[in-house]
Amino acid sequence: MSVFPLRAIFIVDDAEDESLPSVRLLISMPKRRLRHAIERNRMKRQVREAYRINKHLLTDVAEEKGKRISLALVCITDSICNTEKINRSVVKILRRIAEKL
């Protein structure tokens, strides 16, 4: 699923081992999209912070249902976005995934 400026790819498994986290996250900023390392690093920091603040939207549902989620967030824009836009995108993605569970 895509919510500009991010695309989410996820896999849902049954939680067999309770010691592992309920949600695993991968953040990818392709060099093809964002040419400069400073841009890629900034976007990664913004996405990481937005996820850290809002991860409860997904982890609570995953733990309740006994599922483990592997989530990848991939950048699909060619320019840096502001933090509010990224935060809204992450929240929409997490809510959609939680609804699908």
Side-chain angles (χ1 to χ4, degrees), residues 3-40:
V3 178
F4 189 80
L6 299 171
R7 173 178 289 141
I9 303 163
F10 64 96
I11 298 172
V12 179
D13 293 330
D14 291 328
E16 299 160 358
D17 188 6
E18 297 297 324
S19 64
L20 296 173
S22 58
V23 179
R24 295 187 300 175
L25 179 68
L26 170 99
I27 299 171
S28 176
M29 299 294 151
K31 192 173 185 179
R32 184 177 293 167
R33 297 277 181 183
L34 298 169
R35 296 279 182 199
H36 299 98
I38 190 167
E39 295 173 350
R40 292 191 301 274

